[in-house]
Amino acid sequence: MKRSITVQIAGQRYTLKSDADEDEVKALAAHVDSRIREIQKAVRGADTQSVAVLAALQVAEDLFKERAASAALKKKIRDKSQGLLTFLERQARV
């Protein structure tokens, strides 16, 4: 059931509709707000839209890195599992 959750990002209040847990939504908003504030400190005088785009790019970069790490871990687990299965099949034949 969707409910309204109010968050603050870059000094602006947003009311979001979400099925997600309120604490999770607020944690996501706090993360985005933190990224925006970091960029605002580094790039003084940049307009809000530019800062938001840079923050979005940073978050997207983090997401892509995590996806790559997850894919690598899944491949490693798959390879190890296959190796273990092969070993067990050989042992069963002995």
Side-chain angles (χ1 to χ4, degrees), residues 33-46 51:
D33 184 61
S34 173
R35 287 296 181 98
I36 287 174
R37 292 195 186 285
E38 287 173 16
I39 294 168
Q40 284 174 328
K41 286 179 188 174
V43 186
R44 296 251 184 237
V51 171

